Amino acid sequence: MKRWARGLVLVAVMACGGLAPELVAQDLSSARVEFAAAAESVELPFELYHGLPVVDVQLVGREEPLRLILDSGAAVMVLTDGALVDELGWPVLAQANVQGHGDGQAQTAPLVGGVALRLGEVLVSEAFAVVGVLGDVIPGVDGVLGRAVFTDLVVDIDWAGQRLVLHPAESFAYPGHGTILPITVDSERGAYAVPACAVVDGGAESCFELVLDTGARQAVGFRESARGRPARPATGLDDIIVGWGSQGPARGFVGRLEELRFEDIALERAVAGFVASDTSSFADGWLGVPVLQRFRTIFDLPNRRLILEPNERLREPFEFDTTGLQVAPPGPGAQHLEVAHVIPGSAAARAGVEVGDRIVAIDDQAVADLDLGALRAGPLVPRSGVEIRLRLLRRGEEIERSLQTERLI
């Protein structure tokens, strides 16, 4: 039902008075990383919240931990609470123009330096953060933990076990037999990508580069303007909400690739989005959680490689909406889900659901009682042939609608 988007894609900084202009060209994903003396590696649990990995982070100087999305696609750390600047005395270095997914206007927010945080026994210091934005993009988390964690560490993500292991790069040795992909680095943006190929509608194979993005809920996405992207599939859904980002909803086309390939690994019928509003000019698109979670993924950026070890989810079918409902991201304690788009010809459209309707109950279960962080795997799981009963509020009147789910693509 929901396809919420990547977080931050690009941060352009405008130097404040008195600051050296070279700040604009600085690698904002850089930071200093230190392990505790006795730690050879650090293991942490993570939660899948709205389909994204969330870890507990302790800011140095603050007692209450933050819940941050582990987002390899974000250039810098992003914190939603603007009051942290004064609370922790961070210097404001510039104003950041936050450009990301979405068709709306970019936001401007303070860029601060000197941020220090702890991930278990790992201390990350001298990091940069944009503060006071994205609170309405993914309600229920405190922000995004960006590429500073990935730049100088080996980040081992066990998606099946929801376990994160951080290794010092200088002592890490990989003993396994996974598929190793080379990583291309764009030093100007601190971004990195891996090669992949695809076959669409039985045509010739096309190859491209995809940014590694643990903050993306789409399996794979492409920039319409990218020269290397594959052709759109012949059938699919156009002008729908492909995702939500820092600039609101992003519309585009969604279809299926016949095959998505990484070296010796081939995935069938992956769902792919094609978006015009993505402002990133690096690589041809991005690779998100629905693909990455089929593997143990080892991000070894210091050695310019990604290691993929397939897990039990490798051959699971890629799912897409079967209701035709696309709802705005709900926050903690939400009493309703607001319908942002109804896909024409879908079950929801035939049932008479309208944009602006507020879903207050699903199959007699109040939205307020649902685990919104696991909503995609709960009552709105996209299975075909299931009847769903909705209780809606429309212009102050409560109405009921039933719909029979079906595959849309």
Side-chain angles (χ1 to χ4, degrees):
M1 175 171 281
K2 299 179 297 301
R3 289 295 180 269
W4 300 339
R6 306 155 57 197
L8 203 60
V9 175
L10 176 65
V11 176
V13 295
M14 298 167 288
C16 297
L19 287 179
E22 55 265 21
L23 174 65
V24 177
Q26 187 168 345
D27 181 3
L28 300 180
S29 65
S30 64
R32 182 179 179 183
V33 178
E34 301 173 73
F35 279 72
E40 295 183 1
S41 63
V42 171
E43 180 175 326
L44 301 166
F46 67 85
E47 171 193 0
L48 282 174
Y49 181 77
H50 291 315
L52 299 179
V54 174
V55 294
D56 286 340
V57 173
Q58 189 75 52
L59 289 177
V60 173
R62 192 174 191 270
E63 183 175 346
E64 189 72 19
L66 300 180
R67 299 178 68 244
L68 301 182
I69 297 168
L70 181 68
D71 187 354
S72 61
V76 297
M77 189 185 314
V78 182
L79 302 173
T80 61
D81 186 359
L84 290 172
V85 177
D86 292 333
E87 178 183 339
L88 297 177
W90 294 328
V92 176
L93 305 177
Q95 291 298 309
N97 188 21
V98 183
Q99 302 171 6
H101 251 335
D103 300 325
Q105 296 295 317
Q107 301 180 53
T108 300
L111 172 73
V112 301
V115 177
L117 58 94
R118 293 188 181 277
L119 287 162
E121 295 184 81
V122 175
L123 173 65
V124 179
S125 59
E126 300 176 17
F128 297 92
V130 174
V131 184
V133 289
L134 299 188
D136 56 347
V137 176
I138 309 176
V141 297
D142 300 304
V144 166
L145 186 60
R147 297 181 188 131
V149 174
F150 293 84
T151 301
D152 296 311
L153 292 171
V154 175
V155 180
D156 184 347
I157 305 178
D158 174 8
W159 295 92
Q162 294 186 207
R163 183 177 65 104
L164 172 70
V165 183
L166 305 176
H167 304 273
E170 61 273 11
S171 61
F172 177 75
Y174 176 63
H177 303 283
T179 297
I180 299 177
L181 302 179
I183 289 179
T184 300
V185 176
D186 182 329
S187 57
E188 181 179 341
R189 295 173 180 83
Y192 37 91
V194 293
C197 298
V199 174
V200 179
D201 297 334
E205 184 178 75
S206 58
C207 296
F208 36 79
E209 286 195 321
L210 298 175
V211 170
L212 295 167
D213 198 343
T214 60
R217 291 184 178 87
Q218 302 83 31
V220 59
F222 297 98
R223 295 184 296 110
E224 291 277 27
S225 60
R227 294 182 179 180
R229 71 163 176 82
R232 281 186 179 188
T235 59
L237 300 170
D238 204 359
D239 194 29
I240 68 170
I241 296 176
V242 177
W244 295 75
S246 59
Q247 294 169 226
R251 292 181 176 269
F253 174 89
V254 173
R256 289 185 182 271
L257 306 176
E258 185 173 314
E259 183 179 85
L260 178 65
R261 180 177 294 278
F262 308 94
E263 298 287 352
D264 59 339
I265 298 171
L267 302 176
E268 297 180 353
R269 305 283 293 161
V271 175
F274 294 75
V275 181
S277 60
D278 187 354
T279 55
S280 172
S281 60
F282 176 60
D284 302 300
W286 64 92
L287 188 66
V289 172
V291 170
L292 295 173
Q293 68 182 358
R294 295 160 189 264
F295 306 89
R296 172 190 173 195
T297 54
I298 302 175
F299 292 74
D300 186 1
L301 195 61
N303 291 303
R304 301 291 193 267
R305 61 180 180 168
L306 174 73
I307 303 170
L308 299 177
E309 289 187 0
N311 60 30
E312 62 271 20
R313 301 193 62 178
L314 180 66
R315 299 304 174 193
E316 285 186 2
F318 288 89
E319 297 290 357
F320 186 69
D321 291 343
T322 55
T323 62
L325 289 170
Q326 297 187 296
V327 301
Q335 304 295 304
H336 66 265
L337 302 170
E338 185 169 350
V339 178
H341 181 67
V342 178
I343 296 175
S346 67
R350 292 195 300 272
V353 181
E354 299 178 0
V355 173
D357 285 348
R358 297 181 174 184
I359 304 171
V360 295
I362 304 166
D363 290 336
D364 298 323
Q365 188 175 13
V367 166
D369 296 332
L370 298 177
D371 179 1
L372 297 181
L375 195 59
R376 295 175 64 198
L380 298 180
V381 60
R383 291 183 294 122
S384 180
V386 175
E387 183 179 359
I388 294 179
R389 301 188 311 279
L390 303 176
R391 191 161 74 245
L392 309 170
L393 279 179
R394 180 182 295 170
R395 294 182 287 274
E397 179 184 357
E398 189 170 289
I399 60 175
E400 293 189 359
R401 294 288 186 269
S402 295
L403 54 90
Q404 190 83 12
T405 62
E406 61 184 5
R407 288 190 179 276
L408 296 176
I409 57 174

